[in-house]
Amino acid sequence: MSIASNLSSIKNKLPQNIELVAVSKTKPNEDILEAYQAGQRIFGENKIQEMASKYEALPKDIEWHMIGHVQTNKIKFMAPFVSLVHGVDREKVLKELNKQAQKNERIIKCLLQVHIAQEETKFGFDSGELDSVLNNRSEYTHVEIVGLMGMASNTDNEDQVRGEFKTLKTLFDTISERYGLDSFNTLSMGMSGDFSIAIEEGSTMIRVGSSIFGARNY
Ligand SMILES: *Cc1c(COP(=O)(O)O)cnc(C)c1O
């Protein structure tokens, strides 16, 4: 199967209001261009420097999303161009994003990553930490928090995955009501293996890599 046909078969399954982030980490520019030529404009990467060099080389109307764990000392390399940072999982990241956004005279959009999986290895805030971050939000004049992101456990147990997505959706709705944030409208959940469940549970944005580009070789 080609990248273009993989993309179109996924898009055909998606409800209209769901945004698709094509996760191109580790993949060469030719693969990204193939998806681009098939109409895809949003790409996700998990290493800031890899994303920055792809940004330099590829068409400028691509929206680049940083979906991975953020190293604060590298934020300066993406601050001029990144469209959305999904993986904000500690306040230090927000502080540095704010600083670098200010230097670049822009507002950077971000999602707060929430720890919903049972696996200890996954990153993210718990709900108590989210409240404290959101209560401090006026400090971050150049960052706009537009939603939440989460990764479910990597398991074949569908009920567990569904339950974790439900937890995230409930938290998303609670925050929307409690804080009345403008443009708090993005719930990033779902990857190749679980995006159908995520959509049923209220996802607005899915991050799909291997189902589009094939398996990754690390
Ligand atoms: C790699 C990655 C994805 C895409 O994973 P696939 O299983 O290849 O679709 C999605 N989200 C995050 C945070 C990732 O690191």
Side-chain angles (χ1 to χ4, degrees):
M1 289 288 274
S2 71
I3 290 170
S5 64
N6 291 341
L7 253 178
S8 76
S9 74
I10 292 169
K11 281 197 192 150
N12 288 339
K13 282 187 251 170
L14 294 187
Q16 284 237 311
N17 54 337
I18 308 286
E19 287 203 277
L20 171 63
V21 179
V23 176
S24 49
K25 61 191 188 195
T26 80
K27 297 294 177 182
N29 291 345
E30 305 85 84
D31 288 9
I32 297 174
L33 273 177
E34 197 177 328
Y36 179 88
Q37 270 142 18
Q40 182 64 26
R41 290 293 179 274
I42 307 177
F43 292 89
E45 291 283 333
N46 73 338
K47 297 252 171 8
I48 291 172
Q49 276 158 318
E50 183 177 342
M51 181 171 74
S53 58
K54 287 174 172 172
Y55 163 76
E56 291 298 332
L58 289 163
K60 290 297 172 285
D61 62 339
I62 289 179
E63 272 187 41
W64 292 99
H65 289 200
M66 174 61 196
I67 63 168
H69 186 66
V70 176
Q71 289 179 270
T72 48
N73 60 342
K74 307 234 166 100
I75 288 174
K76 55 180 178 284
F77 301 121
M78 68 172 170
F81 68 90
V82 69
S83 293
L84 182 64
V85 180
H86 293 231
V88 174
D89 60 0
R90 56 210 194 281
E91 267 203 271
K92 196 175 165 205
V93 174
L94 273 181
K95 287 206 176 89
E96 183 64 14
L97 270 178
N98 191 60
K99 182 172 147 195
Q100 296 298 334
Q102 202 154 9
K103 275 194 187 164
N104 285 277
E105 298 181 332
R106 58 188 300 250
I107 306 267
I108 296 182
K109 290 185 181 181
C110 73
L111 306 176
L112 302 177
Q113 183 169 354
V114 186
H115 187 268
I116 53 170
Q118 285 187 349
E119 290 132 59
E120 276 301 320
T121 51
K122 296 216 162 113
F123 297 106
F125 294 108
D126 64 33
S127 61
E129 292 168 331
L130 280 181
D131 279 319
S132 94
V133 172
L134 288 162
N135 284 321
N136 292 342
R137 69 192 181 280
S138 60
E139 287 177 32
Y140 306 118
T141 51
H142 287 68
V143 172
E144 187 176 22
I145 299 169
V146 298
L148 302 180
M149 180 274 219
M151 290 171 87
S153 297
N154 183 11
T155 169
D156 291 334
N157 183 342
E158 262 199 33
D159 292 339
Q160 185 181 340
V161 170
R162 189 178 294 282
E164 291 169 359
F165 286 146
K166 270 191 207 297
T167 302
L168 188 56
K169 167 68 167 148
T170 302
L171 204 51
F172 178 78
D173 290 341
T174 307
I175 289 171
S176 303
E177 278 178 35
R178 188 178 300 162
Y179 294 94
L181 302 169
D182 295 341
S183 353
F184 191 83
N185 54 22
T186 304
L187 182 55
S188 167
M189 61 184 196
M191 342 205 308
S192 292
D194 57 19
F195 72 77
S196 305
I197 304 174
I199 290 168
E200 286 166 11
E201 298 305 330
S203 172
T204 70
M205 183 177 276
I206 59 172
R207 310 174 309 270
V208 179
S210 45
S211 294
I212 297 172
F213 296 106
R216 288 175 291 274
N217 305 306
Y218 286 100

